[in-house]
Amino acid sequence: MYELRQVTKLYRKGRKEVAALARVDLEVADGEFLSIQGPTGSGKTTLMLLLGALDRPSSGSILLDGKDLSQLRSGQLTDTRARTLGFVFQNYNLMPTLTAAENVQAALVPLGVPPNEARRRARAALDDVGLGERAGFYPLELSGGEQQRVAIARALVKEPRVLLADEPTGNLDEGTRDEVVALLEGLRSSRGLTLIVATHDSQVARRAPRTAVMEKGRLRIRNNQSNGGQAE
Amino acid sequence: MFFTYLLRELRRRRRQAALVSLGLAVGVGLVVTVGAASSAASSAQDQVLHSLYGVGTDLTVTKAPTAGSGGGFHFGGAAGSAPRSFSGSHIGSSPGLALLSNTDVTKVAALSGVRSAVGGLSLISITFSGQFTPGSGPPSSTTGPPSFSANTVSIVGVDINNPAVGPLSGTTLLSGHYFASSDQDAQVALLDASYAKQQGLKAGSTVTLGGSSYRVLGVVSPPSGGTGSDVYIPLERAQALGSAANQVNTIYVEAQSSSGVSAVSREVSGLLPSATVTTAATLASQVSSSLGATSGLAGSLGTWLAVIVLIVAFALAAMLSLSSVSARVREFGTLKALGWRTRRVVGQILGEGLAEGVVGATLGVGLGFLGAYLVGRIGGTVKTVVGSSTFPRAGGALAAAAGRFRPGAALGGGGHTVTVHLNGTVGLATLGLAVGLAVAGGLLAGGIGGWRVARLQPAEALRQVG
């Protein structure tokens, strides 16, 4: 699915250039659940943005199903985001003026899905995350866990092949965190998704069979199967 | 989704949206009001000009009398004789106007660019009586009890075959009927409503002019706000009355198009070098007093005020739009992450700006109509003074007569005062301009916000919020 070769991402900080990612190599198989772990500022979010076709590397290549994202035009990247990739953010990033159902429908706008079909699919996606009854609620009327589930429904309604979740449990309490992670795992299993979760939370990271551990822009792979593969 | 998202967003930041719309509305309202005021002043000016010219006339041709011409009245007798009583009447060409020939009318009518040209003959009929002492100079009432009185009637001979141009064109028939083509040489007359009322005359009555009776065909009112002649008679009869066979003292000219008036004016000046050609423009330049002031105010101060308010409104709308976009960076970054194309996001912002512009335009048009109404209410009535030299009809004759005989205030001063009411009308062009400006303002604001979003990289947008 993904193949990253010698990916470097540089940022300017004043007069200095800082490497957020330094010659990173990574392969992610189709349908795999990979976690990316590291402290704040380690380059997790930069890597997620590159995997999500939201940014381009300074050097190196990122192949998604054999296509180099760094070489695609802006419109092609947008198409890739619209059809292939789903995003879940730490802050949910829901539109405050739209209801839960309308937020989910927003993901179908780029695909040109007719309104009735969009409404039906949005309702089904909300049912899948257990929020069918709250379809007409605005984000501020929902709890944090519910908002994140709406965000997951929004990411999945277009039936992407990859789900990228950046600190999806960062704003949730422990109980809700486990519910959300379980929901993501269940959806991955049932839909055959490739799931990549960036987190600083070791417990969440260890739920994945493999963890890409980030430190100062560099990456090493840790195999979680050797110690049971599941979080304690 | 487009409209749902747009309306919800505008509702969420309704204070800001209302401020933008209100700013645009004030600008639009001012544009409409200024347009209405300008239109009112222009309309008032047209009324003045029509009252002088007649509706269909584009320019008039007159000729100033040469020094010493025109005769006058002489009160003879040896100096030192005893006071004598006298009375009499006189009809003559209006003293301020020299005579032109019918041939001149034909020549002017034949000029290219002229649709039609007709001659008119303004006469003044004066009946006087009193006492004077030969050799003591003109009679005066200042040295004792009034010993002299004069009654003046303005008469104009009109070409009854072409009433659309000339003195009758701006009048309204109140009773009776206009001249028929068979009345060319008949002793028939139309009376001005004020004169008819003053003299107790009506259609069917007879009026005596130069010792002959004329049957009154009808009573007319002058153009709105204007003052017409007392009596209108067929041109041939006027020429006979004024002993001016085949002569006129004003030629009324209608150009084939309004854009050709200047060219026609030059042609006529070339044809009749000694004549004075007066167009609406030259006449308008001599229109004075409050009408000029109103027109100037509407044209300069009002326009600048509207421009300044619009600039402020546009700047405010643009700043608020930028501020709104800055506050929604995460939202737009998320939309881009969801696969929304940049043009779709920009379209959403433009739509919000357009909606604000449309609301502003709607409110502004309402404010504009209110302003136009107030122009009519507050502007009220405007008195306009037109100099006697530019007033080729009865006014000139009266003014000249007044200058010669000084009979008192009854005849007025050296100019002609026209009273007009300001009516602020809102034209479609003004409305279109105003609505266009408001919509453009909204689109400009949306466009600036959209430009900011178009430059926004999704990664950058998402990073800004951690």
Side-chain angles (χ1 to χ4, degrees):
Chain A
M1 167 119 276
Y2 276 111
E3 191 176 339
L4 278 68
R5 294 179 191 151
Q6 294 292 296
V7 171
T8 296
K9 180 67 185 178
L10 303 173
Y11 288 109
R12 267 201 180 280
K13 269 192 177 175
R15 291 182 179 178
K16 290 170 65 180
E17 273 195 335
V18 177
L21 291 180
R23 290 182 295 170
V24 167
D25 292 312
L26 176 67
E27 286 187 16
V28 182
D30 206 0
E32 182 182 351
F33 176 14
L34 174 78
S35 61
I36 301 173
Q37 190 187 2
T40 302
S42 60
K44 295 191 303 293
T45 296
T46 299
L47 181 58
M48 291 296 276
L49 291 173
L50 291 172
L51 292 171
L54 289 162
D55 205 355
R56 295 175 192 271
S58 303
S59 63
S61 59
I62 303 170
L63 302 179
L64 174 62
D65 291 335
K67 279 190 281 189
D68 189 349
L69 295 181
S70 64
Q71 301 300 315
L72 294 183
R73 292 195 302 271
S74 177
Q76 291 172 309
L77 289 177
T78 303
D79 273 345
T80 303
R81 290 197 296 270
R83 297 177 189 283
T84 310
L85 307 172
F87 291 90
V88 176
F89 304 95
Q90 178 178 356
N91 294 315
Y92 329 127
N93 291 15
L94 298 176
M95 310 302 146
T97 55
L98 301 180
T99 63
E102 288 161 350
N103 264 287
V104 176
Q105 285 176 53
L108 298 174
V109 167
L111 303 180
V113 177
N116 285 339
E117 171 71 3
R119 274 192 287 273
R120 187 191 64 72
R121 285 173 64 174
R123 181 61 189 244
L126 285 171
D127 282 338
D128 286 348
V129 298
L131 281 180
E133 297 303 313
R134 301 211 162 219
F137 283 55
Y138 288 94
L140 286 178
E141 298 170 332
L142 301 171
S143 69
E146 288 172 329
Q147 288 187 54
Q148 195 58 296
R149 281 195 277 169
V150 172
I152 292 168
R154 181 178 64 184
L156 296 179
V157 70
K158 58 189 177 184
E159 297 172 355
R161 294 184 52 223
V162 180
L163 181 60
L164 298 159
D166 189 5
E167 298 280 9
T169 59
N171 287 350
L172 304 178
D173 60 47
E174 214 167 274
T176 311
R177 175 196 70 186
D178 293 341
E179 279 177 24
V180 167
V181 173
L183 175 65
L184 289 171
E185 285 178 329
L187 289 167
R188 182 189 73 85
S189 301
S190 61
R191 298 181 180 219
L193 284 170
T194 300
L195 175 62
I196 302 176
V197 177
T199 180
H200 66 274
D201 185 332
S202 297
Q203 294 205 37
V204 175
R206 288 180 186 282
R207 303 281 283 259
R210 284 201 309 155
T211 298
V213 181
M214 300 287 307
E215 197 169 350
K216 295 182 179 173
R218 297 193 177 275
L219 180 151
R220 67 180 169 82
I221 296 295
R222 183 182 72 209
N223 195 336
N224 297 321
Q225 302 286 8
S226 58
N227 62 353
Q230 299 293 314
E232 297 84 351
Chain B
M1 175 57 74
F2 177 83
F3 290 107
T4 304
Y5 189 15
L6 187 154
L7 292 174
R8 298 264 182 81
E9 178 55 33
L10 289 179
R11 193 172 66 184
R12 182 177 72 85
R13 52 184 184 88
R14 51 184 167 273
R15 282 186 189 167
Q16 193 186 65
L19 192 60
V20 170
S21 294
L22 200 61
L24 293 172
V26 171
V28 167
L30 270 174
V31 168
V32 173
T33 304
V34 167
S38 178
S39 155
S42 174
S43 171
Q45 205 164 48
D46 283 348
Q47 280 187 41
V48 172
L49 301 183
H50 289 165
S51 74
L52 304 176
Y53 271 178
V55 175
T57 306
D58 293 319
L59 52 89
T60 58
V61 184
T62 55
K63 194 173 174 183
T66 54
S69 69
F73 299 96
H74 303 281
F75 298 92
S81 302
R84 294 182 186 176
S85 295
F86 70 91
S87 66
S89 65
H90 174 83
I91 295 182
S93 173
S94 292
L97 300 169
L99 294 172
L100 296 154
S101 73
N102 274 354
T103 316
D104 291 335
V105 180
T106 310
K107 285 179 185 173
V108 170
L111 290 173
S112 61
V114 173
R115 177 170 291 154
S116 61
V118 300
L121 181 62
S122 295
L123 301 174
I124 190 86
S125 169
I126 301 168
T127 307
F128 51 87
S129 62
Q131 282 190 330
F132 77 103
T133 303
S136 64
S140 168
S141 61
T142 58
T143 56
S147 59
F148 177 83
S149 67
N151 181 32
T152 309
V153 179
S154 61
I155 303 166
V156 62
V158 298
D159 184 343
I160 62 173
N161 291 318
N162 196 350
V165 182
L168 275 178
S169 60
T171 60
T172 305
L173 185 69
L174 299 179
S175 63
H177 58 84
Y178 278 116
F179 297 114
S181 55
S182 57
D183 292 332
Q184 201 156 341
D185 200 34
Q187 294 196 169
V188 290
L190 293 170
L191 302 184
D192 177 75
S194 301
Y195 179 73
K197 187 177 178 185
Q198 183 188 0
Q199 300 296 321
L201 298 170
K202 57 185 180 181
S205 305
T206 57
V207 60
T208 302
L209 301 171
S212 302
S213 294
Y214 283 71
R215 184 163 55 86
V216 177
L217 294 179
V219 175
V220 297
S221 68
S224 176
T227 304
S229 289
D230 295 330
V231 182
Y232 303 84
I233 60 176
L235 179 59
E236 284 76 0
R237 295 310 313 158
Q239 289 171 333
L241 268 181
S243 304
N246 296 319
Q247 288 180 308
V248 298
N249 51 20
T250 305
I251 303 173
Y252 300 87
V253 184
E254 181 189 17
Q256 284 180 349
S257 70
S258 57
S259 58
V261 172
S262 299
V264 170
S265 173
R266 284 194 296 274
E267 281 188 274
V268 174
S269 294
L271 180 70
L272 304 171
S274 59
T276 302
V277 181
T278 308
T279 65
T282 55
L283 188 58
S285 69
Q286 296 179 50
V287 170
S288 62
S289 88
S290 52
L291 178 57
T294 304
S295 182
L297 192 69
S300 54
L301 180 63
T303 302
W304 280 111
L305 187 62
V307 167
I308 289 168
V309 169
L310 273 175
I311 288 173
V312 171
F314 279 26
L316 180 74
M319 283 192 297
L320 289 177
S321 175
L322 272 178
S323 157
S324 162
V325 165
S326 296
R328 295 161 71 194
V329 163
R330 178 169 68 177
E331 187 176 322
F332 297 131
T334 304
L335 290 174
K336 287 191 171 186
L338 292 178
W340 282 43
R341 291 189 175 277
T342 296
R343 64 169 177 268
R344 178 69 172 77
V345 181
V346 170
Q348 196 72 40
I349 299 165
L350 276 176
E352 292 170 12
L354 182 63
E356 289 169 343
V358 168
V359 172
T362 308
L363 287 174
V365 167
L367 283 175
F369 272 106
L370 180 65
Y373 169 75
L374 291 177
V375 165
R377 292 281 293 180
I378 297 170
T381 301
V382 171
K383 290 186 188 302
T384 299
V385 179
V386 180
S388 61
S389 63
T390 63
F391 187 44
R393 221 159 77 180
L398 284 171
R404 183 163 297 194
F405 293 104
R406 302 183 190 285
L411 289 175
H416 172 68
T417 300
V418 177
T419 302
V420 290
H421 296 279
L422 282 179
N423 284 315
T425 52
V426 180
L428 275 180
T430 306
L431 271 186
L433 173 71
V435 171
L437 282 171
V439 170
L443 282 176
L444 176 75
I448 289 174
W451 170 77
R452 168 84 174 84
V453 168
R455 288 164 49 91
L456 192 67
Q457 294 300 317
E460 178 196 344
L462 293 168
R463 273 186 182 284
Q464 281 187 13
V465 290

mmCIF file of all heavy atoms in Angstrom, chain B residues 366-396:
data_model
loop_
_atom_site.group_PDB
_atom_site.id
_atom_site.type_symbol
_atom_site.label_atom_id
_atom_site.label_comp_id
_atom_site.label_asym_id
_atom_site.label_seq_id
_atom_site.Cartn_x
_atom_site.Cartn_y
_atom_site.Cartn_z
ATOM 1 N N GLY B 366 -34.048 49.982 -0.196
ATOM 2 C CA GLY B 366 -35.085 50.512 0.697
ATOM 3 C C GLY B 366 -34.679 51.858 1.264
ATOM 4 O O GLY B 366 -35.457 52.819 1.261
ATOM 5 N N LEU B 367 -33.423 51.928 1.737
ATOM 6 C CA LEU B 367 -32.916 53.207 2.279
ATOM 7 C C LEU B 367 -32.915 54.274 1.188
ATOM 8 O O LEU B 367 -33.222 55.447 1.434
ATOM 9 C CB LEU B 367 -31.492 53.024 2.810
ATOM 10 C CG LEU B 367 -31.332 52.337 4.145
ATOM 11 C CD1 LEU B 367 -29.855 52.131 4.470
ATOM 12 C CD2 LEU B 367 -32.003 53.140 5.256
ATOM 13 N N GLY B 368 -32.561 53.851 -0.010
ATOM 14 C CA GLY B 368 -32.509 54.791 -1.135
ATOM 15 C C GLY B 368 -33.869 55.367 -1.447
ATOM 16 O O GLY B 368 -34.013 56.581 -1.682
ATOM 17 N N PHE B 369 -34.885 54.506 -1.444
ATOM 18 C CA PHE B 369 -36.248 55.007 -1.708
ATOM 19 C C PHE B 369 -36.680 55.957 -0.593
ATOM 20 O O PHE B 369 -37.341 56.963 -0.857
ATOM 21 C CB PHE B 369 -37.229 53.838 -1.836
ATOM 22 C CG PHE B 369 -37.312 53.304 -3.231
ATOM 23 C CD1 PHE B 369 -36.730 52.099 -3.566
ATOM 24 C CD2 PHE B 369 -37.966 54.013 -4.237
ATOM 25 C CE1 PHE B 369 -36.778 51.603 -4.862
ATOM 26 C CE2 PHE B 369 -38.032 53.526 -5.536
ATOM 27 C CZ PHE B 369 -37.434 52.320 -5.843
ATOM 28 N N LEU B 370 -36.289 55.626 0.630
ATOM 29 C CA LEU B 370 -36.594 56.521 1.746
ATOM 30 C C LEU B 370 -35.904 57.871 1.524
ATOM 31 O O LEU B 370 -36.503 58.939 1.701
ATOM 32 C CB LEU B 370 -36.130 55.892 3.061
ATOM 33 C CG LEU B 370 -36.369 56.713 4.318
ATOM 34 C CD1 LEU B 370 -37.863 56.884 4.570
ATOM 35 C CD2 LEU B 370 -35.710 56.066 5.534
ATOM 36 N N GLY B 371 -34.628 57.790 1.116
ATOM 37 C CA GLY B 371 -33.876 59.016 0.848
ATOM 38 C C GLY B 371 -34.516 59.827 -0.271
ATOM 39 O O GLY B 371 -34.621 61.055 -0.174
ATOM 40 N N ALA B 372 -34.951 59.117 -1.316
ATOM 41 C CA ALA B 372 -35.581 59.807 -2.445
ATOM 42 C C ALA B 372 -36.876 60.492 -1.988
ATOM 43 O O ALA B 372 -37.183 61.622 -2.407
ATOM 44 C CB ALA B 372 -35.879 58.813 -3.560
ATOM 45 N N TYR B 373 -37.597 59.806 -1.116
ATOM 46 C CA TYR B 373 -38.830 60.387 -0.578
ATOM 47 C C TYR B 373 -38.509 61.651 0.214
ATOM 48 O O TYR B 373 -39.176 62.680 0.088
ATOM 49 C CB TYR B 373 -39.531 59.344 0.299
ATOM 50 C CG TYR B 373 -40.678 59.881 1.121
ATOM 51 C CD1 TYR B 373 -41.903 60.175 0.509
ATOM 52 C CD2 TYR B 373 -40.549 60.081 2.491
ATOM 53 C CE1 TYR B 373 -42.952 60.670 1.262
ATOM 54 C CE2 TYR B 373 -41.600 60.571 3.248
ATOM 55 C CZ TYR B 373 -42.804 60.867 2.626
ATOM 56 O OH TYR B 373 -43.833 61.362 3.375
ATOM 57 N N LEU B 374 -37.439 61.548 1.035
ATOM 58 C CA LEU B 374 -37.064 62.707 1.852
ATOM 59 C C LEU B 374 -36.581 63.871 0.985
ATOM 60 O O LEU B 374 -36.782 65.032 1.344
ATOM 61 C CB LEU B 374 -35.978 62.307 2.858
ATOM 62 C CG LEU B 374 -36.449 61.358 3.961
ATOM 63 C CD1 LEU B 374 -35.280 60.961 4.864
ATOM 64 C CD2 LEU B 374 -37.555 62.006 4.797
ATOM 65 N N VAL B 375 -35.944 63.552 -0.126
ATOM 66 C CA VAL B 375 -35.516 64.618 -1.044
ATOM 67 C C VAL B 375 -36.729 65.432 -1.478
ATOM 68 O O VAL B 375 -36.721 66.666 -1.500
ATOM 69 C CB VAL B 375 -34.800 64.029 -2.284
ATOM 70 C CG1 VAL B 375 -34.692 65.067 -3.403
ATOM 71 C CG2 VAL B 375 -33.409 63.557 -1.903
ATOM 72 N N GLY B 376 -37.800 64.714 -1.813
ATOM 73 C CA GLY B 376 -39.032 65.391 -2.222
ATOM 74 C C GLY B 376 -39.660 66.172 -1.078
ATOM 75 O O GLY B 376 -40.146 67.289 -1.266
ATOM 76 N N ARG B 377 -39.590 65.558 0.135
ATOM 77 C CA ARG B 377 -40.234 66.202 1.283
ATOM 78 C C ARG B 377 -39.440 67.410 1.771
ATOM 79 O O ARG B 377 -39.996 68.478 2.013
ATOM 80 C CB ARG B 377 -40.362 65.197 2.439
ATOM 81 C CG ARG B 377 -41.332 64.072 2.153
ATOM 82 C CD ARG B 377 -42.768 64.474 2.324
ATOM 83 N NE ARG B 377 -43.087 64.772 3.727
ATOM 84 C CZ ARG B 377 -44.277 65.152 4.155
ATOM 85 N NH1 ARG B 377 -45.249 65.298 3.284
ATOM 86 N NH2 ARG B 377 -44.488 65.388 5.421
ATOM 87 N N ILE B 378 -38.143 67.204 1.926
ATOM 88 C CA ILE B 378 -37.310 68.265 2.481
ATOM 89 C C ILE B 378 -36.945 69.289 1.415
ATOM 90 O O ILE B 378 -36.952 70.486 1.647
ATOM 91 C CB ILE B 378 -36.022 67.662 3.112
ATOM 92 C CG1 ILE B 378 -36.402 66.752 4.260
ATOM 93 C CG2 ILE B 378 -35.087 68.762 3.594
ATOM 94 C CD1 ILE B 378 -35.262 65.920 4.801
ATOM 95 N N GLY B 379 -36.636 68.772 0.209
ATOM 96 C CA GLY B 379 -36.272 69.677 -0.888
ATOM 97 C C GLY B 379 -37.414 70.606 -1.224
ATOM 98 O O GLY B 379 -37.227 71.793 -1.481
ATOM 99 N N GLY B 380 -38.631 70.046 -1.187
ATOM 100 C CA GLY B 380 -39.835 70.846 -1.393
ATOM 101 C C GLY B 380 -39.840 71.612 -2.690
ATOM 102 O O GLY B 380 -39.684 71.057 -3.767
ATOM 103 N N THR B 381 -39.998 72.916 -2.563
ATOM 104 C CA THR B 381 -40.165 73.764 -3.730
ATOM 105 C C THR B 381 -38.900 74.575 -3.982
ATOM 106 O O THR B 381 -38.258 75.043 -3.057
ATOM 107 C CB THR B 381 -41.331 74.727 -3.483
ATOM 108 O OG1 THR B 381 -42.489 73.941 -3.236
ATOM 109 C CG2 THR B 381 -41.574 75.607 -4.688
ATOM 110 N N VAL B 382 -38.569 74.698 -5.226
ATOM 111 C CA VAL B 382 -37.385 75.464 -5.593
ATOM 112 C C VAL B 382 -37.796 76.581 -6.538
ATOM 113 O O VAL B 382 -38.544 76.360 -7.487
ATOM 114 C CB VAL B 382 -36.357 74.541 -6.290
ATOM 115 C CG1 VAL B 382 -35.227 75.365 -6.880
ATOM 116 C CG2 VAL B 382 -35.806 73.536 -5.301
ATOM 117 N N LYS B 383 -37.348 77.793 -6.227
ATOM 118 C CA LYS B 383 -37.623 78.919 -7.118
ATOM 119 C C LYS B 383 -36.377 79.162 -7.960
ATOM 120 O O LYS B 383 -35.269 79.209 -7.446
ATOM 121 C CB LYS B 383 -37.956 80.166 -6.313
ATOM 122 C CG LYS B 383 -39.311 80.074 -5.625
ATOM 123 C CD LYS B 383 -39.638 81.407 -4.980
ATOM 124 C CE LYS B 383 -40.883 81.329 -4.119
ATOM 125 N NZ LYS B 383 -42.056 80.896 -4.835
ATOM 126 N N THR B 384 -36.597 79.289 -9.225
ATOM 127 C CA THR B 384 -35.484 79.454 -10.124
ATOM 128 C C THR B 384 -35.649 80.734 -10.927
ATOM 129 O O THR B 384 -36.729 81.010 -11.433
ATOM 130 C CB THR B 384 -35.435 78.256 -11.089
ATOM 131 O OG1 THR B 384 -35.257 77.100 -10.314
ATOM 132 C CG2 THR B 384 -34.294 78.396 -12.063
ATOM 133 N N VAL B 385 -34.569 81.479 -11.002
ATOM 134 C CA VAL B 385 -34.621 82.743 -11.737
ATOM 135 C C VAL B 385 -33.855 82.590 -13.040
ATOM 136 O O VAL B 385 -32.722 82.121 -13.051
ATOM 137 C CB VAL B 385 -33.991 83.870 -10.905
ATOM 138 C CG1 VAL B 385 -34.031 85.185 -11.685
ATOM 139 C CG2 VAL B 385 -34.734 84.013 -9.591
ATOM 140 N N VAL B 386 -34.513 82.939 -14.126
ATOM 141 C CA VAL B 386 -33.873 82.886 -15.428
ATOM 142 C C VAL B 386 -33.762 84.315 -15.946
ATOM 143 O O VAL B 386 -34.746 85.061 -15.940
ATOM 144 C CB VAL B 386 -34.707 82.035 -16.406
ATOM 145 C CG1 VAL B 386 -34.029 81.985 -17.756
ATOM 146 C CG2 VAL B 386 -34.884 80.641 -15.850
ATOM 147 N N GLY B 387 -32.583 84.665 -16.365
ATOM 148 C CA GLY B 387 -32.364 86.026 -16.847
ATOM 149 C C GLY B 387 -33.239 86.361 -18.043
ATOM 150 O O GLY B 387 -33.524 85.498 -18.865
ATOM 151 N N SER B 388 -33.663 87.627 -18.170
ATOM 152 C CA SER B 388 -34.584 88.022 -19.223
ATOM 153 C C SER B 388 -33.979 87.852 -20.603
ATOM 154 O O SER B 388 -34.666 87.572 -21.561
ATOM 155 C CB SER B 388 -35.011 89.473 -19.013
ATOM 156 O OG SER B 388 -33.874 90.297 -19.068
ATOM 157 N N SER B 389 -32.679 88.009 -20.724
ATOM 158 C CA SER B 389 -32.063 87.896 -22.043
ATOM 159 C C SER B 389 -32.142 86.489 -22.590
ATOM 160 O O SER B 389 -32.004 86.258 -23.768
ATOM 161 C CB SER B 389 -30.598 88.330 -21.966
ATOM 162 O OG SER B 389 -29.894 87.457 -21.117
ATOM 163 N N THR B 390 -32.324 85.531 -21.709
ATOM 164 C CA THR B 390 -32.380 84.150 -22.180
ATOM 165 C C THR B 390 -33.814 83.669 -22.325
ATOM 166 O O THR B 390 -34.046 82.516 -22.627
ATOM 167 C CB THR B 390 -31.675 83.233 -21.190
ATOM 168 O OG1 THR B 390 -32.380 83.281 -19.962
ATOM 169 C CG2 THR B 390 -30.237 83.637 -20.973
ATOM 170 N N PHE B 391 -34.744 84.525 -22.092
ATOM 171 C CA PHE B 391 -36.135 84.092 -22.046
ATOM 172 C C PHE B 391 -36.873 84.684 -23.236
ATOM 173 O O PHE B 391 -37.312 85.813 -23.227
ATOM 174 C CB PHE B 391 -36.751 84.576 -20.737
ATOM 175 C CG PHE B 391 -38.138 84.042 -20.489
ATOM 176 C CD1 PHE B 391 -38.437 82.709 -20.725
ATOM 177 C CD2 PHE B 391 -39.135 84.880 -20.035
ATOM 178 C CE1 PHE B 391 -39.711 82.230 -20.492
ATOM 179 C CE2 PHE B 391 -40.410 84.404 -19.804
ATOM 180 C CZ PHE B 391 -40.702 83.081 -20.039
ATOM 181 N N PRO B 392 -36.940 83.906 -24.312
ATOM 182 C CA PRO B 392 -37.416 84.465 -25.554
ATOM 183 C C PRO B 392 -38.931 84.599 -25.664
ATOM 184 O O PRO B 392 -39.415 85.120 -26.636
ATOM 185 C CB PRO B 392 -36.895 83.465 -26.589
ATOM 186 C CG PRO B 392 -36.863 82.165 -25.861
ATOM 187 C CD PRO B 392 -36.554 82.498 -24.454
ATOM 188 N N ARG B 393 -39.652 84.067 -24.690
ATOM 189 C CA ARG B 393 -41.088 84.133 -24.838
ATOM 190 C C ARG B 393 -41.629 85.334 -24.084
ATOM 191 O O ARG B 393 -40.975 86.370 -24.014
ATOM 192 C CB ARG B 393 -41.700 82.818 -24.329
ATOM 193 C CG ARG B 393 -42.819 82.337 -25.228
ATOM 194 C CD ARG B 393 -43.063 80.882 -25.057
ATOM 195 N NE ARG B 393 -43.807 80.618 -23.828
ATOM 196 C CZ ARG B 393 -44.145 79.415 -23.459
ATOM 197 N NH1 ARG B 393 -43.818 78.382 -24.183
ATOM 198 N NH2 ARG B 393 -44.824 79.227 -22.356
ATOM 199 N N ALA B 394 -42.764 85.145 -23.506
ATOM 200 C CA ALA B 394 -43.421 86.297 -22.885
ATOM 201 C C ALA B 394 -42.571 86.953 -21.812
ATOM 202 O O ALA B 394 -42.626 88.155 -21.608
ATOM 203 C CB ALA B 394 -44.748 85.864 -22.281
ATOM 204 N N GLY B 395 -41.753 86.135 -21.114
ATOM 205 C CA GLY B 395 -40.945 86.686 -20.034
ATOM 206 C C GLY B 395 -40.050 87.800 -20.505
ATOM 207 O O GLY B 395 -39.907 88.837 -19.867
ATOM 208 N N GLY B 396 -39.420 87.591 -21.663
ATOM 209 C CA GLY B 396 -38.525 88.607 -22.185
ATOM 210 C C GLY B 396 -39.269 89.875 -22.496
ATOM 211 O O GLY B 396 -38.818 90.984 -22.203
#
